[in-house]
Amino acid sequence: MQNSIRRARQLVFVSVAAGLMSGCGLAYKPVGHTLNHYALDEVVPYALASDDLDQSACGTGMGLSRLVGSFSRVIDRPARLLIVTNTTASFCSEARAQKYHLLVQRNLYNGQTDVARDNRISAQRWERITALRRYQVYRDTVQAFGEIGGAQCSTVRDEIGTDQDALVYLTGLLVGVQGLLNDIQANSSVGVPQNIAAKAGPRLPLSG
């Protein structure tokens, strides 16, 4: 009798736990959509208006990229928002790369060739991280707006209730080209396609 009661309690516990877990799963999708909208509507403009560029760029990008990206497990990948967050995150790694590039120049000036070699390796490592982030920006741009350089123009429209689509699209193109340059600095270890510049160039405002 006691065994039957114990088993019944276990079944009830498992059923309740499963119900709670499924309820959480149902909540993830609206939370993901809400976070996506809020970040584009409020967080990004707030960060762009900040006087503290280091905190607004690095802090926003590094803080939101993984959180927002994780929602691609339950909703469509929020590519437009990830274009912005990975772009700002790439500023952090690029700043570190520049720091080591400057150290290399100082080391060579002081005749410290061994130290310069170590700092050059560190610079290339951060260039590679920057290239990875910026190549992901380019891929998210393709996912959000369509293939770049194809027969048809990419779709730039107010799809998610913001007026930032054109800015996000141009940012994705420009950052993709920058990622190619970062990859060259990293000895092409990422493998960013060389034709990115040819595809993006004619669509940038400065290309005439």
PDB file of all heavy atoms in Angstrom, residues 80 141 144-147 152-159 165 169:
ATOM      1  N   ARG A  80      18.698  40.946 -37.094  1.00  0.00           N
ATOM      2  CA  ARG A  80      18.871  42.400 -37.128  1.00  0.00           C
ATOM      3  C   ARG A  80      19.512  42.916 -35.849  1.00  0.00           C
ATOM      4  O   ARG A  80      20.414  43.757 -35.885  1.00  0.00           O
ATOM      5  CB  ARG A  80      17.522  43.083 -37.362  1.00  0.00           C
ATOM      6  CG  ARG A  80      17.040  43.051 -38.805  1.00  0.00           C
ATOM      7  CD  ARG A  80      15.603  43.535 -38.896  1.00  0.00           C
ATOM      8  NE  ARG A  80      15.165  43.731 -40.265  1.00  0.00           N
ATOM      9  CZ  ARG A  80      14.823  42.757 -41.095  1.00  0.00           C
ATOM     10  NH1 ARG A  80      14.881  41.500 -40.688  1.00  0.00           N
ATOM     11  NH2 ARG A  80      14.429  43.022 -42.322  1.00  0.00           N
ATOM     12  N   THR A 141      23.505  39.769 -41.705  1.00  0.00           N
ATOM     13  CA  THR A 141      22.965  40.727 -42.671  1.00  0.00           C
ATOM     14  C   THR A 141      22.323  39.997 -43.843  1.00  0.00           C
ATOM     15  O   THR A 141      21.231  40.363 -44.307  1.00  0.00           O
ATOM     16  CB  THR A 141      24.075  41.661 -43.178  1.00  0.00           C
ATOM     17  OG1 THR A 141      24.679  42.332 -42.061  1.00  0.00           O
ATOM     18  CG2 THR A 141      23.523  42.700 -44.139  1.00  0.00           C
ATOM     19  N   ALA A 144      19.066  38.480 -42.601  1.00  0.00           N
ATOM     20  CA  ALA A 144      18.009  39.455 -42.325  1.00  0.00           C
ATOM     21  C   ALA A 144      17.478  40.120 -43.586  1.00  0.00           C
ATOM     22  O   ALA A 144      16.276  40.390 -43.691  1.00  0.00           O
ATOM     23  CB  ALA A 144      18.525  40.516 -41.354  1.00  0.00           C
ATOM     24  N   PHE A 145      18.359  40.384 -44.556  1.00  0.00           N
ATOM     25  CA  PHE A 145      17.963  41.206 -45.701  1.00  0.00           C
ATOM     26  C   PHE A 145      18.067  40.494 -47.042  1.00  0.00           C
ATOM     27  O   PHE A 145      17.730  41.071 -48.069  1.00  0.00           O
ATOM     28  CB  PHE A 145      18.822  42.475 -45.742  1.00  0.00           C
ATOM     29  CG  PHE A 145      18.690  43.327 -44.512  1.00  0.00           C
ATOM     30  CD1 PHE A 145      19.674  43.330 -43.541  1.00  0.00           C
ATOM     31  CD2 PHE A 145      17.570  44.117 -44.317  1.00  0.00           C
ATOM     32  CE1 PHE A 145      19.562  44.109 -42.403  1.00  0.00           C
ATOM     33  CE2 PHE A 145      17.444  44.906 -43.182  1.00  0.00           C
ATOM     34  CZ  PHE A 145      18.437  44.898 -42.223  1.00  0.00           C
ATOM     35  N   GLY A 146      18.546  39.271 -47.047  1.00  0.00           N
ATOM     36  CA  GLY A 146      18.673  38.550 -48.300  1.00  0.00           C
ATOM     37  C   GLY A 146      20.092  38.591 -48.846  1.00  0.00           C
ATOM     38  O   GLY A 146      20.939  39.361 -48.385  1.00  0.00           O
ATOM     39  N   GLU A 147      20.343  37.754 -49.831  1.00  0.00           N
ATOM     40  CA  GLU A 147      21.680  37.642 -50.413  1.00  0.00           C
ATOM     41  C   GLU A 147      22.131  38.978 -50.993  1.00  0.00           C
ATOM     42  O   GLU A 147      21.363  39.685 -51.646  1.00  0.00           O
ATOM     43  CB  GLU A 147      21.686  36.567 -51.505  1.00  0.00           C
ATOM     44  CG  GLU A 147      23.063  36.281 -52.078  1.00  0.00           C
ATOM     45  CD  GLU A 147      24.039  35.781 -51.026  1.00  0.00           C
ATOM     46  OE1 GLU A 147      23.639  34.946 -50.190  1.00  0.00           O
ATOM     47  OE2 GLU A 147      25.199  36.247 -51.037  1.00  0.00           O
ATOM     48  N   GLN A 152      18.449  40.468 -57.426  1.00  0.00           N
ATOM     49  CA  GLN A 152      17.466  41.339 -56.804  1.00  0.00           C
ATOM     50  C   GLN A 152      18.100  42.107 -55.652  1.00  0.00           C
ATOM     51  O   GLN A 152      19.021  41.627 -54.987  1.00  0.00           O
ATOM     52  CB  GLN A 152      16.280  40.523 -56.283  1.00  0.00           C
ATOM     53  CG  GLN A 152      15.483  39.836 -57.385  1.00  0.00           C
ATOM     54  CD  GLN A 152      14.295  39.080 -56.824  1.00  0.00           C
ATOM     55  OE1 GLN A 152      14.220  38.821 -55.630  1.00  0.00           O
ATOM     56  NE2 GLN A 152      13.358  38.731 -57.700  1.00  0.00           N
ATOM     57  N   CYS A 153      17.580  43.304 -55.422  1.00  0.00           N
ATOM     58  CA  CYS A 153      18.075  44.110 -54.308  1.00  0.00           C
ATOM     59  C   CYS A 153      17.633  43.480 -52.988  1.00  0.00           C
ATOM     60  O   CYS A 153      16.585  42.845 -52.904  1.00  0.00           O
ATOM     61  CB  CYS A 153      17.538  45.540 -54.396  1.00  0.00           C
ATOM     62  SG  CYS A 153      18.172  46.465 -55.813  1.00  0.00           S
ATOM     63  N   SER A 154      18.445  43.678 -51.966  1.00  0.00           N
ATOM     64  CA  SER A 154      18.093  43.169 -50.647  1.00  0.00           C
ATOM     65  C   SER A 154      16.851  43.881 -50.131  1.00  0.00           C
ATOM     66  O   SER A 154      16.582  45.035 -50.476  1.00  0.00           O
ATOM     67  CB  SER A 154      19.259  43.379 -49.676  1.00  0.00           C
ATOM     68  OG  SER A 154      20.404  42.690 -50.125  1.00  0.00           O
ATOM     69  N   THR A 155      16.087  43.178 -49.302  1.00  0.00           N
ATOM     70  CA  THR A 155      14.838  43.720 -48.775  1.00  0.00           C
ATOM     71  C   THR A 155      15.123  44.540 -47.526  1.00  0.00           C
ATOM     72  O   THR A 155      15.521  44.000 -46.495  1.00  0.00           O
ATOM     73  CB  THR A 155      13.860  42.579 -48.435  1.00  0.00           C
ATOM     74  OG1 THR A 155      13.637  41.801 -49.610  1.00  0.00           O
ATOM     75  CG2 THR A 155      12.544  43.141 -47.928  1.00  0.00           C
ATOM     76  N   VAL A 156      14.948  45.849 -47.620  1.00  0.00           N
ATOM     77  CA  VAL A 156      15.125  46.745 -46.479  1.00  0.00           C
ATOM     78  C   VAL A 156      13.773  47.368 -46.189  1.00  0.00           C
ATOM     79  O   VAL A 156      13.302  48.234 -46.914  1.00  0.00           O
ATOM     80  CB  VAL A 156      16.172  47.839 -46.771  1.00  0.00           C
ATOM     81  CG1 VAL A 156      16.342  48.749 -45.561  1.00  0.00           C
ATOM     82  CG2 VAL A 156      17.503  47.208 -47.142  1.00  0.00           C
ATOM     83  N   ARG A 157      13.128  46.902 -45.137  1.00  0.00           N
ATOM     84  CA  ARG A 157      11.799  47.407 -44.816  1.00  0.00           C
ATOM     85  C   ARG A 157      11.637  47.463 -43.302  1.00  0.00           C
ATOM     86  O   ARG A 157      12.411  46.881 -42.549  1.00  0.00           O
ATOM     87  CB  ARG A 157      10.720  46.510 -45.421  1.00  0.00           C
ATOM     88  CG  ARG A 157      10.739  45.064 -44.928  1.00  0.00           C
ATOM     89  CD  ARG A 157       9.645  44.249 -45.590  1.00  0.00           C
ATOM     90  NE  ARG A 157       9.599  42.884 -45.100  1.00  0.00           N
ATOM     91  CZ  ARG A 157      10.325  41.888 -45.584  1.00  0.00           C
ATOM     92  NH1 ARG A 157      11.158  42.108 -46.581  1.00  0.00           N
ATOM     93  NH2 ARG A 157      10.231  40.665 -45.082  1.00  0.00           N
ATOM     94  N   ASP A 158      10.610  48.166 -42.888  1.00  0.00           N
ATOM     95  CA  ASP A 158      10.322  48.341 -41.466  1.00  0.00           C
ATOM     96  C   ASP A 158       9.600  47.106 -40.944  1.00  0.00           C
ATOM     97  O   ASP A 158       8.436  47.151 -40.577  1.00  0.00           O
ATOM     98  CB  ASP A 158       9.468  49.598 -41.279  1.00  0.00           C
ATOM     99  CG  ASP A 158       9.202  49.894 -39.815  1.00  0.00           C
ATOM    100  OD1 ASP A 158       9.945  49.372 -38.974  1.00  0.00           O
ATOM    101  OD2 ASP A 158       8.252  50.634 -39.531  1.00  0.00           O
ATOM    102  N   GLU A 159      10.333  45.984 -40.887  1.00  0.00           N
ATOM    103  CA  GLU A 159       9.696  44.703 -40.608  1.00  0.00           C
ATOM    104  C   GLU A 159       9.324  44.532 -39.147  1.00  0.00           C
ATOM    105  O   GLU A 159       8.338  43.890 -38.812  1.00  0.00           O
ATOM    106  CB  GLU A 159      10.629  43.569 -41.046  1.00  0.00           C
ATOM    107  CG  GLU A 159      10.058  42.183 -40.828  1.00  0.00           C
ATOM    108  CD  GLU A 159      10.983  41.114 -41.356  1.00  0.00           C
ATOM    109  OE1 GLU A 159      11.222  41.093 -42.572  1.00  0.00           O
ATOM    110  OE2 GLU A 159      11.466  40.312 -40.552  1.00  0.00           O
ATOM    111  N   ASP A 165      16.123  49.949 -40.107  1.00  0.00           N
ATOM    112  CA  ASP A 165      16.541  48.887 -41.018  1.00  0.00           C
ATOM    113  C   ASP A 165      17.628  49.330 -41.993  1.00  0.00           C
ATOM    114  O   ASP A 165      18.582  48.587 -42.247  1.00  0.00           O
ATOM    115  CB  ASP A 165      15.333  48.354 -41.792  1.00  0.00           C
ATOM    116  CG  ASP A 165      14.684  47.171 -41.084  1.00  0.00           C
ATOM    117  OD1 ASP A 165      15.065  46.917 -39.926  1.00  0.00           O
ATOM    118  OD2 ASP A 165      13.815  46.518 -41.670  1.00  0.00           O
ATOM    119  N   TYR A 169      21.284  47.690 -42.125  1.00  0.00           N
ATOM    120  CA  TYR A 169      21.737  47.049 -43.366  1.00  0.00           C
ATOM    121  C   TYR A 169      23.095  47.595 -43.803  1.00  0.00           C
ATOM    122  O   TYR A 169      24.022  46.829 -44.102  1.00  0.00           O
ATOM    123  CB  TYR A 169      20.693  47.278 -44.455  1.00  0.00           C
ATOM    124  CG  TYR A 169      21.104  46.778 -45.822  1.00  0.00           C
ATOM    125  CD1 TYR A 169      21.260  45.416 -46.070  1.00  0.00           C
ATOM    126  CD2 TYR A 169      21.324  47.669 -46.869  1.00  0.00           C
ATOM    127  CE1 TYR A 169      21.632  44.957 -47.323  1.00  0.00           C
ATOM    128  CE2 TYR A 169      21.692  47.217 -48.125  1.00  0.00           C
ATOM    129  CZ  TYR A 169      21.847  45.862 -48.349  1.00  0.00           C
ATOM    130  OH  TYR A 169      22.216  45.417 -49.586  1.00  0.00           O
TER     131      TYR A 169
END
